[in-house]
Amino acid sequence: MALKHAVLAALLDGEYSGYQLAKAFDVGVANFWHALPQQLYAELTRLEADGLVAGRQVVQETRPNKRLFQVTEAGLAELQRFAAAASKPSFIRDDLLVKVQAVDRIEAAPVIEQLTERARIADAKVEIFGKLLARLRGTATEEEFLAHGAPIGPYLTCLRGLGFEQETRDWCERIAGVLRERAAGSPELSRRGPA
Amino acid sequence: MALKHAVLAALLDGEYSGYQLAKAFDVGVANFWHALPQQLYAELTRLEADGLVAGRQVVQETRPNKRLFQVTEAGLAELQRFAAAASKPSFIRDDLLVKVQAVDRIEAAPVIEQLTERARIADAKVEIFGKLLARLRGTATEEEFLAHGAPIGPYLTCLRGLGFEQETRDWCERIAGVLRERAAGSPELSRRGPA
DNA sequence: CATGATTAGTCAGATTCTTGAGTATGGGAA
DNA sequence: TTCCCATACTCAAGAATCTGACTAATCATG
């Protein structure tokens, strides 16, 4: 049950509604976890029932009302416990890698296309993370911010996101290039592969 | 349902038993997917029922009998279909990142310890992937192998695994260093964080 | 002034993944 | 010779995640 702790960690940043969390956990800026809105609303309900977060109703004129949540003392204690316990190892689990693994025996063209597209997406995330990092550290240099800035947690996870997306982009571009070259060199590769 | 295709892709490499697959998908060398033995046995049963893989019983004297599986024509066609369809984006989902995200508000010491441990694990995987890559390309240089070697799929996914683990190792080491420095500079950080 | 996007959520159902236990045999170490 | 580890696999139950549909209001676009 780690989404629970991911939500708690995200809420340390300030008060958020389920909707706001959902956007952070969905689109690019989910730098340390990913979840769908339905999961988040359910999780927030559970967390509130357990007293780990406290929600308050905010009445809005022009928009539907919303509930803002913040972490309680009990929630912080729970996070503390979680952080002290051992972490599970993390694994890559990626459709695109499965396709690349099989590329000797299937048509390469759609795989190349998807690698190119994925590189584009990763590059867009690199930009987003770059800007987010700049915003987080304000006028300080990275060195200064890492030494003394606060909060540092979101900055550090964002650095990880940046590194991950850069790696993804570079690998996708390189592999797309390799597969294109090979297809050009021996077009029959794309159907049955070599002996 | 992508484990299905991950298993098909893994079986393109040759005939494997559930047990052998389980080891590949469990420990370090699962360079493109991860799954537990129970999942794999269940998946193989389903795949066989659907005619996407064919199993044959191998009677062994000194060990329990086993069933070796290979991909059928229908299985290859299914992989082909899968590869031509759009890929879902891949996301980071990592306990350790959640802890780092929260590091301003919780004790840093156990997080630093886990970062160090994770760096060690990642470094071990870097070594494993390095050796595996060398074995896969044999006497060829990387450039030669990428241009003409076969099978190329497993090599490419292994390259991704290598890059991922290197990134993981470097980030963990860097962040552990940063957090250690900060804890040394202002020890009270470890309890409540700065204003 | 219709159409679609955005905000703010909820509900049900299916699939996938994880946890934990259990079966059975043979080989090697203490 | 007892105990643990490796091989090879099975079953059940639960937790987590994903898919898809739905409500309902306001705002911007054409």
Side-chain angles (χ1 to χ4, degrees), chain B residues 2 10-11 13 48 51 59 67 76 85 91 99 111 124 128 156 164 193 195:
Chain B
L11 285 176
D13 216 22
E48 194 179 25
V59 178
R67 306 200 61 210
L76 193 54
F91 292 107
K99 297 173 188 182
V111 178
I128 289 171
L156 299 177
F164 177 76

Side-chain angles (χ1 to χ4, degrees), chain A residues 99-106 182 189-194, chain B residues 12 149-155:
Chain A
K99 297 173 188 182
V100 169
Q101 172 82 14
V103 81
D104 294 284
R105 304 284 296 279
I106 61 177
R182 290 169 67 101
L189 266 174
S190 62
R191 264 231 88 72
R192 313 215 36 125
Chain B
L12 289 179
I152 193 69
Y155 194 88

